[in-house]
Amino acid sequence: MSYDKVEVPEEGEAIEFDGEELSVPNTPVIPIIYGDGIGVDVAPAAQIVLEAAANATGRDIAWMRVYAGEAANERYGEGEHLPNETVEAFEQFHVGIKGPLTTPVGAGFRSLNVALRKKLDLYANVRPTYHLNGVPSPVSHPEQMDMVSFRENTEDVYAGIEWEAGTDEAEEVREFVEEEMGFDSTIHDGPVGIGIKPISEFGTKRLVRRAIDYALENDRDSVTLVHKGNIMKFTEGAFRDWGYEVAEEEYGEEVITEDTLWEERDGEAPEDAVVVNDRIADNMLQQILTRTDEYDILALPNLNGDYLSDACGAQIGGLGIAPGANFGEGRCLAEPVHGSAPKYAGQDKVNPTAMILSGRLMLEYLGWDEAADLVRDAVEQTIESGTVTYDLERQIEGGEKVATSEFADAIVENIEELA
């Protein structure tokens, strides 16, 4: 495949996927989007850390710079926020990483993050939340937080089906809902915006299946289906029911439900089995704070997943620490949870930890577990030493404030010492 405005590195090889397994060369080509705002600072910092971890384990990364957002607009022309070349690069090379992309609120183009996830069918947004020693936290026991959120990435509010208040289309939908469907007292008079949130059996089951598989492969104890099914019975309630169907019909004795646990086993879970339970979303928001250590893997529709994973991130020091990645069949696109923070762009100031730890997820997906562990350990060691960016330095007594690039250099030094 040829590219017009991006360069494929000569020294790298493409990752292959045969429908079941990845074949990863020692020097894979990895597309990277720096992104908007602080992406120009955190993405290069992540690159040098991830490359150092790869090198320390006898491998290398051939970076392929691709473009989205404002950088794409400048390179490809006005209005080209997500060029076809960028999407094609991730399709061809299977695994990549991106920085934050700005999404306008209320008007303008829809989210580029969502567009990439949909075009590549990256249906699972996975956000591990764990505390690193030395990171200040607003809670007393941040070490109790060790959850992984599996957030559905293609449906619910991210399907983007809505009509603007005052338009003919919105009025047509209102008339249909009121006159044809009989919901005559549901919608207030006057202009009204209307949206639809689809949640499908197919989308739900493949997400829950991925969450349960992860729990089994990583010796986790439970998977919790988080929903608002007491109110939204045919969407979020269906998410719950379809999730239980996967647990009950596809896994045999490896997986049991919470009802079975108490009705047949008096609360004693069998060894090496995963317990699937469910919680109402608003209740879960307080339980992750009050009963943090009782939860493990969360499977959630899109909007619930956004709220809950951010709330989890707050307990371990904020979104500047929180990693994430999007997964499909034979695809991974790592990205930090935080936004683009344009007012800090280019200042070599912000914390790149979330981007670096998102890259750690990418390394794990490649099967480079030793390199991934080096990244985590070196980041933690650097923070514990008090060598941190401004956001953490102001909370740590005796901390040393360093620039984004200096923080990355310090992590690289620790990787070399740990290797």
Side-chain angles (χ1 to χ4, degrees):
M1 184 179 295
S2 61
Y3 295 86
D4 181 27
K5 296 185 182 295
V6 297
E7 184 177 344
V8 181
E10 294 181 2
E11 67 274 17
E13 298 177 64
I15 295 168
E16 301 291 340
F17 179 64
D18 64 6
E20 293 185 4
E21 295 184 351
L22 292 178
S23 176
V24 182
N26 271 346
T27 305
V29 174
I30 302 292
I32 181 170
I33 296 172
Y34 280 14
D36 296 325
I38 58 172
V40 298
D41 301 299
V42 299
Q47 277 182 287
I48 68 165
V49 170
L50 299 175
E51 194 167 329
N55 293 164
T57 56
R59 303 179 178 93
D60 202 359
I61 296 172
W63 296 105
M64 178 182 176
R65 178 88 184 271
V66 295
Y67 301 87
E70 289 305 315
N73 209 36
E74 294 169 4
R75 196 173 188 86
Y76 289 85
E78 189 67 30
E80 285 286 345
H81 295 287
L82 184 58
N84 289 334
E85 284 193 332
T86 297
V87 178
E88 289 167 359
F90 289 116
E91 288 177 337
Q92 179 181 358
F93 296 104
H94 294 283
V95 177
I97 186 170
K98 61 174 283 296
L101 293 168
T102 300
T103 300
V105 176
F109 58 83
R110 288 195 180 273
S111 168
L112 298 177
N113 299 313
V114 176
L116 264 172
R117 295 168 189 170
K118 285 189 173 183
K119 286 177 180 292
L120 298 169
D121 197 24
L122 300 167
Y123 61 86
N125 180 228
V126 180
R127 297 179 174 182
T129 312
Y130 51 88
H131 184 246
L132 297 172
N133 291 334
V135 176
S137 166
V139 299
S140 300
H141 294 284
E143 73 282 354
Q144 293 182 356
M145 172 59 69
D146 186 13
M147 299 183 201
V148 184
S149 301
F150 281 73
R151 170 194 179 205
E152 208 290 321
N153 235 358
T154 64
E155 301 187 320
D156 196 13
V157 296
Y158 266 32
I161 305 172
E162 59 177 354
W163 296 272
E164 185 178 359
T167 62
D168 291 342
E169 292 83 0
E171 288 307 306
E172 287 178 22
V173 176
R174 183 213 292 266
E175 289 175 12
F176 177 77
V177 169
E178 293 180 340
E179 297 174 12
E180 299 294 327
M181 302 298 292
F183 292 95
D184 56 352
S185 61
T186 301
I187 303 174
H188 291 293
D189 293 335
V192 57
I194 300 176
I196 295 176
K197 53 177 288 178
I199 291 180
S200 73
E201 179 180 9
F202 173 78
T204 297
K205 285 188 171 181
R206 67 176 178 175
L207 177 85
V208 173
R209 194 176 294 119
R210 190 153 199 145
I212 293 174
D213 287 345
Y214 180 92
L216 290 168
E217 291 164 6
N218 291 275
D219 197 26
R220 296 284 191 149
D221 294 329
S222 67
V223 173
T224 301
L225 310 170
V226 185
H227 60 91
K228 192 64 177 171
N230 56 332
I231 303 299
M232 305 294 289
K233 300 181 188 300
F234 306 130
T235 50
E236 301 206 17
F239 178 90
R240 170 193 180 275
D241 294 343
W242 288 323
Y244 275 126
E245 285 181 15
V246 171
E248 293 168 347
E249 297 174 5
E250 298 184 18
Y251 288 91
E253 295 181 357
E254 288 184 300
V255 176
I256 64 171
T257 66
E258 189 173 47
D259 286 346
T260 301
L261 178 69
W262 289 101
E263 290 171 4
E264 300 180 10
R265 303 188 61 87
D266 198 28
E268 290 293 326
E271 209 169 314
D272 300 326
V274 169
V275 177
V276 175
N277 54 35
D278 74 280
R279 298 291 183 268
I280 301 297
D282 49 316
N283 179 39
M284 191 64 197
L285 272 167
Q286 61 93 20
Q287 290 215 25
I288 61 170
L289 186 61
T290 60
R291 299 185 178 185
T292 309
D293 58 355
E294 294 182 16
Y295 294 95
D296 207 340
I297 309 300
L298 310 181
L300 319 95
N302 187 275
L303 187 59
N304 293 337
D306 212 2
Y307 294 156
L308 266 293
S309 61
D310 278 14
C312 290
Q315 293 190 41
I316 53 96
L319 298 189
I321 304 295
N326 306 287
F327 296 93
E329 301 305 329
R331 299 195 191 285
C332 168
L333 178 58
E335 65 174 345
V337 175
H338 63 68
S340 58
K343 72 177 182 179
Y344 296 117
Q347 297 180 27
D348 196 22
K349 175 179 181 178
V350 297
N351 189 344
T353 298
M355 182 91 175
I356 292 167
L357 294 179
S358 297
R360 179 194 176 208
L361 288 173
M362 182 186 78
L363 296 180
E364 287 179 335
Y365 189 69
L366 296 176
W368 295 2
D369 292 345
E370 187 182 354
D373 289 343
L374 277 175
V375 170
R376 185 199 184 285
D377 293 346
V379 168
E380 185 171 58
Q381 184 170 311
T382 305
I383 293 173
E384 276 193 291
S385 74
T387 303
V388 291
T389 48
Y390 84 100
D391 56 314
L392 297 183
E393 185 270 340
R394 61 189 178 186
Q395 303 176 66
I396 297 174
E397 186 175 348
E400 177 190 0
K401 182 171 70 174
V402 296
T404 307
S405 55
E406 293 171 329
F407 181 67
D409 289 339
I411 296 171
V412 169
E413 289 179 12
N414 284 325
I415 285 174
E416 293 169 350
E417 289 179 8
L418 290 166

